[in-house]
Amino acid sequence: MAGEEKKFISDSGIEIERVYVPKDRLVEEPGVFPFTRGVHSEMYRSKLWTMRQYAGFSTAEESNKRYHYLLSQGVSGLSVAFDLPTQIGYDSDHPLADGEVGKVGVAIDSLVDMQTLFNGIKLEEVSTSMTINSTGYILLAFYIALAKQQGADLKKISGTIQNDILKEYAARGTYIYPPRPSMKIITDIFEYCNTEVPKWNTISISGYHIREAGSTAAQELAFTLANGKVYCEAAIAKGLDINQFGQRLSFFFNAHNNFFEEVAKFRAARRMWAKITKDLGATDARAQMLRFHTQTGGSTLTAQQPQNNIVRVSLQAMAAVLGGTQSLHTNGFDEALSLPTADAAKLALRTQQVIGFESGVTETVDPLAGSYFVEQMTDQLEEKAWQYITYIDSIGGAVSAVEKGFIQDEIAKASYDFQKKMELGQKVIVGVNKFVEPERNDTEILRIDDSIRALQTAKLAKLRAERNAEEVSKTLNAFKDATVEGKNIMPFVVNAVEAYCTLGEVADVLRGIYGEYQG
């Protein structure tokens, strides 16, 4: 009958309750502060997580084909990978781009490439995540300009831009400008999107790359939340309301192989962030919620016996789901060798679909709650993370901790300790230091041709010959003047890319004003 609550029944005919609690005491409910058990009361009973597959390689034309393929296979959101020149603000024809164009992601030099990347895809109808940081303001401007060309309602377009520069200094390295000017760019994006694209998640505060650099789970938790805290403080100092911008913050975590520790990490993260935002003045529940995307651990994948990675990814994906993720990317088993082939990407997506539709773990909220082990691990991870955050606060916050090298040093120590344990056999990696077999190189890999740079260079030459040179100069000068005057840069960047200024030209304006960070 209409209006009846949907029932979930096990294969043995047992009705699955919405949420399980000890019968002899009151416990926390999901969907309410501090959200340890999940940010929604129903979680996956009402809607599964967004199944994203991180993709992008070669040219915009080739990546567009992959996006259409993934959409046809059931992904519910796109996730764009950019090549290194795009990430650090160089056009494909720049000398420093040689050898890197289209290799680890797609090359995007101008609005023309963005048009091609999303050809046949209506931006109002798809959620897009873009993994981009130092040039995030430019890629967001490309996306907004394209949405306007499509006639989309900017109030309806949705997605996420990573835009988390602090972890670049600490863990990943694709920074351009010094930390403090970079923080200004980020708060400009917060302010601009709050009015112009209100459904856009303005930052994805990333623990993923901190973990990939070698941190422990506790360090990933602590350093990510410390970064999130300082972004909030910067926005508040700019006069923004945490109850508004706090609703558009999202997080990006790693999922590694230590199954129960990973589940506990996600639960602790929600609880800690609720407390941090409340202390910063957030009273709206949506501004206190930690919503997060998860990607399975790239650094856990092995080139030796690569099919073992299928098992690793499955374990990690299950941990993310049991930990309450809002969206998930599962790595291809071949990614220790190359970018994933179409077949590997499809298998990775099918892994999520099997968990979502066949495993039954989605039928109750936070099913591992009440486990003595998981609850204690949640508490212990939280305690360790608070110790780090308290120390970071004592030395001036996350920006100072990066400038002093504290976070970098802690990650380096953890990475060294792990490597030492692996080499001594104290940490087993199946197929690498135990159960080793003679190497076989029969896995199909995706190869990116170096001719991609020539194709992009030709497109850039054509663009520069056909665009309005006077309009290019006018918009770049206006952008420069606005930056010097301390204005919000985003309207000026959007104007520049609409005049077909290239990514490198826009990035160079700020290089000329702020310089480059030397580390």
Side-chain angles (χ1 to χ4, degrees):
M1 290 176 61
E4 281 191 357
E5 183 180 350
K6 181 180 178 181
K7 292 188 175 182
F8 294 84
I9 309 296
S10 79
D11 291 341
S12 298
I14 299 168
E15 183 173 345
I16 308 298
E17 295 181 25
R18 179 183 69 86
V19 62
Y20 287 81
V21 300
K23 300 302 182 185
D24 59 344
R25 62 188 176 93
L26 294 173
V27 295
E28 182 187 314
E29 274 278 318
V32 296
F33 186 92
F35 309 105
T36 312
R37 303 198 66 186
V39 293
H40 303 298
S41 63
E42 294 289 318
M43 286 302 289
Y44 308 133
R45 287 165 64 94
S46 59
K47 182 184 178 184
L48 293 182
W49 62 93
T50 301
M51 297 183 187
R52 297 189 188 276
Q53 285 306 114
Y54 185 47
F57 61 96
S58 183
T59 61
E61 289 86 352
E62 289 301 313
S63 293
N64 177 260
K65 292 176 188 175
R66 177 65 65 89
Y67 295 156
H68 280 284
Y69 172 75
L70 289 170
L71 288 167
S72 75
Q73 296 299 311
V75 300
S76 45
L78 296 176
S79 186
V80 184
F82 299 97
D83 71 358
L84 284 174
T86 303
Q87 292 181 49
I88 55 176
Y90 293 120
D91 291 331
S92 295
D93 58 357
H94 192 284
L96 291 178
D98 191 15
E100 292 294 344
V101 177
K103 289 293 177 71
V104 300
V106 62
I108 300 294
D109 291 319
S110 73
L111 181 55
V112 173
D113 286 327
M114 207 67 162
Q115 292 163 342
T116 304
L117 187 67
F118 290 98
N119 183 36
I121 299 170
K122 293 184 177 180
L123 301 191
E124 262 193 38
E125 298 176 2
V126 66
S127 168
T128 303
S129 173
M130 295 191 285
T131 303
I132 195 77
N133 296 282
S134 58
T135 55
Y137 67 103
I138 307 173
L139 271 298
L140 177 58
F142 284 150
Y143 198 86
I144 290 169
L146 177 59
K148 288 166 70 175
Q149 288 184 347
Q150 289 187 357
D153 182 348
L154 296 186
K155 299 290 193 288
K156 293 181 180 177
I157 65 168
S158 65
T160 303
I161 192 166
Q162 191 162 100
N163 196 30
D164 174 10
I165 201 63
L166 290 178
K167 65 95 174 52
E168 295 296 327
Y169 304 111
R172 191 162 173 265
T174 62
Y175 48 76
I176 304 174
Y177 318 113
R180 295 186 189 273
S182 294
M183 290 292 291
K184 197 268 183 184
I185 296 170
I186 289 169
T187 55
D188 280 0
I189 292 170
F190 286 0
E191 183 179 50
Y192 177 82
C193 290
N194 190 51
T195 56
E196 301 300 320
V197 275
K199 290 184 69 176
W200 194 266
N201 294 322
T202 51
I203 193 168
S204 178
I205 303 157
S206 176
Y208 184 84
H209 302 100
I210 290 169
R211 194 67 177 279
E212 290 293 284
S215 80
T216 65
Q219 289 172 337
E220 178 189 1
L221 185 57
F223 300 154
T224 306
L225 298 187
N227 288 347
K229 182 180 178 182
V230 81
Y231 290 132
C232 287
E233 290 170 340
I236 291 167
K238 196 179 180 73
L240 302 182
D241 181 358
I242 191 171
N243 285 308
Q244 289 186 325
F245 75 77
Q247 297 186 35
R248 305 317 313 168
L249 306 180
S250 66
F251 287 79
F252 175 21
F253 286 112
N254 210 311
H256 268 228
N257 291 329
N258 194 320
F259 187 83
F260 291 106
E261 183 177 56
E262 294 300 296
V263 174
K265 178 186 75 181
F266 300 132
R267 300 175 86 247
R270 277 191 295 271
R271 189 159 71 200
M272 293 178 71
W273 187 244
K275 293 174 182 175
I276 288 169
T277 51
K278 185 178 180 181
D279 287 346
L280 290 172
T283 54
D284 189 304
R286 288 193 58 80
Q288 298 168 338
M289 291 178 183
L290 182 145
R291 297 166 298 116
F292 68 99
H293 170 72
T294 309
Q295 181 174 337
T296 55
S299 63
T300 69
L301 303 180
T302 63
Q304 302 90 332
Q305 301 177 32
Q307 288 187 330
N308 293 346
N309 296 328
I310 298 170
V311 182
R312 294 185 178 104
V313 168
S314 300
L315 278 170
Q316 294 162 9
M318 183 66 87
V321 170
L322 291 175
T325 194
Q326 276 60 69
S327 71
L328 178 60
H329 164 84
T330 32
N331 290 330
F333 73 90
D334 54 357
E335 288 191 52
L337 300 168
S338 70
L339 292 168
T341 62
D343 283 345
K346 181 169 73 173
L347 179 58
L349 174 61
R350 293 288 183 257
T351 301
Q352 294 196 51
Q353 292 166 336
V354 169
I355 293 171
F357 295 101
E358 296 186 26
S359 70
V361 300
T362 63
E363 294 174 1
T364 190
V365 180
D366 194 23
L368 293 183
S371 156
Y372 297 125
F373 181 35
V374 171
E375 294 292 358
Q376 187 165 326
M377 180 67 75
T378 303
D379 293 344
Q380 289 172 325
L381 278 173
E382 180 178 3
E383 182 182 356
K384 279 183 171 289
W386 280 128
Q387 289 171 0
Y388 271 115
I389 291 173
T390 299
Y391 179 75
I392 289 169
D393 285 344
S394 76
I395 60 173
V399 176
S400 293
V402 165
E403 290 173 335
K404 295 175 190 296
F406 170 72
I407 293 175
Q408 299 92 310
D409 288 347
E410 290 298 301
I411 294 171
K413 290 173 191 173
S415 179
Y416 174 77
D417 287 344
F418 180 89
Q419 184 68 24
K420 187 165 64 174
K421 287 175 183 175
M422 193 184 76
E423 291 177 3
L424 293 172
Q426 296 169 355
K427 187 75 177 174
V428 172
I429 309 296
V430 174
V432 176
N433 63 357
K434 197 165 187 175
F435 313 112
V436 178
E437 295 177 350
E439 296 259 355
R440 295 184 317 190
N441 294 311
D442 55 359
T443 302
E444 178 188 357
I445 64 173
L446 180 65
R447 299 185 187 278
I448 305 300
D449 198 298
D450 285 331
S451 65
I452 300 305
R453 185 171 188 243
L455 292 173
Q456 287 297 116
T457 298
K459 282 198 285 185
L460 280 165
K462 184 174 185 292
L463 172 71
R464 291 181 178 126
E466 294 177 352
R467 68 189 183 178
N468 185 324
E470 184 178 338
E471 192 65 18
V472 167
S473 179
K474 177 182 173 183
T475 57
L476 288 176
N477 284 332
F479 171 39
K480 180 180 178 180
D481 291 344
T483 304
V484 171
E485 293 166 13
K487 294 179 180 177
N488 188 308
I489 66 170
M490 284 307 299
F492 300 92
V493 179
V494 172
N495 289 341
V497 302
E498 287 180 324
Y500 292 94
C501 298
T502 68
L503 173 128
E505 289 166 342
V506 175
D508 282 349
V509 169
L510 296 192
R511 276 193 179 93
I513 297 169
Y514 297 142
E516 293 189 348
Y517 183 64
Q518 300 303 313

